[in-house]
């Protein structure tokens, strides 16, 4: 897949087969964080891998899915859950630009995964106090998100917003996703 096609199809996926993500793919996802840019090259991030089924299920119970859809449509069923999570941990004492570094790392990780056909969902809406304790974070550290990974069982397509300008995502009767993205004519101008 060329880079533009990779970016276009690297959408958020929320239902997965139960085939595990191979270690080789996980290694690439993790390596992509090393390739990420970092403000002043301070590198304030670390990552925790959760890949044993028992532990994935433990983390799953503290995650929230697809806030714009009813639970029965947006949440993975028991046999559709991700098979891997990676927690993204920031240390704001090391850098004031953690959030930017995290955004770059998240983009790299999810693209590296998708290059292997592994879909992902960044989960910001998780129980951070409980998960931080579970992962043994220090007082200085901050859990940004957990990223869910797995081989997707649905499609997701970018569409133009309607006239009303609403940006909600929605699903069709096969529960494939449609994600509205603002047109470039609304977001770009030339100076
Ligand atoms: C920082 C961040 C936090 C997110 N948190 C959640 C979340 O808690 N649960 C969820 O289902 N999706 C979450 N998402 C996924 C967004 O809903 C998704 O990116 C958005 O609907 C656009 O879809 P797309 O990623 O396919 O472009 C998050 C995305 C980002 C970037």
């Amino acid at each position: 897949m060329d880079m533009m096609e990779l970016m276009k199809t690297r959408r958020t996926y929320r239902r997965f087969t139960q085939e595990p993500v191979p270690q080789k793919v996980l290694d690439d996802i993790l390596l992509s964080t090393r390739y990420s840019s970092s403000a002043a090259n301070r590198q304030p991030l670390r990552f925790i891998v959760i890949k044993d089924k028992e532990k994935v299920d433990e983390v799953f119970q503290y995650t929230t899915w697809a806030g714009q859809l009813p639970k029965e449509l947006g949440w993975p069923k028991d046999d559709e859950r991700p098979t891997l999570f990676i927690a993204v941990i920031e240390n704001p004492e090391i850098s004031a630009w953690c959030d930017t570094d995290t955004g770059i790392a998240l983009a790299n990780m999810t693209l590296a995964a998708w290059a292997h056909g592994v879909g992902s969902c960044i989960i910001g809406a998780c129980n951070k106090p409980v998960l931080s304790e579970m992962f043994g974070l220090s007082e200085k550290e901050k859990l940004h998100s957990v990223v869910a990974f797995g081989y997707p069982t649905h499609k997701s397509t970018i569409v133009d917003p309607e006239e009303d300008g609403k940006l909600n995502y929605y699903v069709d009767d096969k529960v494939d996703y449609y994600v509205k993205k603002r047109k470039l004519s609304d977001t770009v101008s030339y100076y």
Side-chain angles (χ1 to χ4, degrees), residues 21-186:
V21 175
Q23 187 63 44
K24 188 181 125 12
V25 177
L26 173 56
D27 289 344
D28 270 2
I29 296 170
L30 297 172
L31 191 54
S32 79
T33 67
R34 188 167 186 237
Y35 295 162
S36 299
S37 289
S38 172
N41 207 23
R42 287 177 181 252
Q43 303 175 48
L45 308 180
R46 70 181 185 99
F47 305 87
I48 298 176
V49 177
I50 302 102
K51 63 176 199 155
D52 295 342
K53 164 123 184 70
E54 227 171 76
K55 297 215 166 107
V56 168
D57 284 345
E58 212 177 312
V59 169
F60 180 86
Q61 56 178 321
Y62 300 109
T63 54
T64 304
W65 296 70
Q68 295 180 9
L69 293 174
K71 194 170 178 180
E72 63 275 16
L73 289 178
W75 286 54
K77 309 236 174 344
D78 289 352
D79 59 353
E80 299 173 328
R81 290 183 179 188
T83 54
L84 167 73
F85 281 110
I86 299 179
V88 182
I89 321 293
E90 302 177 335
N91 186 331
E93 286 200 354
I94 297 176
S95 171
W97 291 88
C98 283
D99 218 32
T100 307
D101 279 27
T102 295
I104 295 168
L106 287 171
N108 278 9
M109 290 161 77
T110 54
L111 281 168
W114 189 235
H116 292 283
V118 170
S120 58
C121 182
I122 299 162
I123 307 267
C126 52
N127 189 329
K128 292 180 185 173
V130 170
L131 290 172
S132 299
E133 169 117 27
M134 194 187 282
F135 299 145
L137 302 198
S138 73
E139 298 235 318
K140 295 173 185 170
E141 292 179 311
K142 195 175 140 219
L143 176 64
H144 178 275
S145 50
V146 291
V147 191
F149 294 94
Y151 292 95
T153 57
H154 67 88
K155 294 188 183 136
S156 180
T157 309
I158 289 176
V159 292
D160 290 343
E162 320 251 322
E163 291 295 305
D164 62 14
K166 287 188 184 154
L167 295 175
N168 60 299
Y169 49 85
Y170 58 93
V171 290
D172 65 11
D173 50 7
K174 288 197 268 176
V175 205
D176 285 330
Y177 278 74
Y178 296 86
V179 182
K180 296 177 190 174
K181 297 285 184 192
R182 294 167 73 196
K183 293 185 197 170
L184 291 187
S185 53
D186 292 329

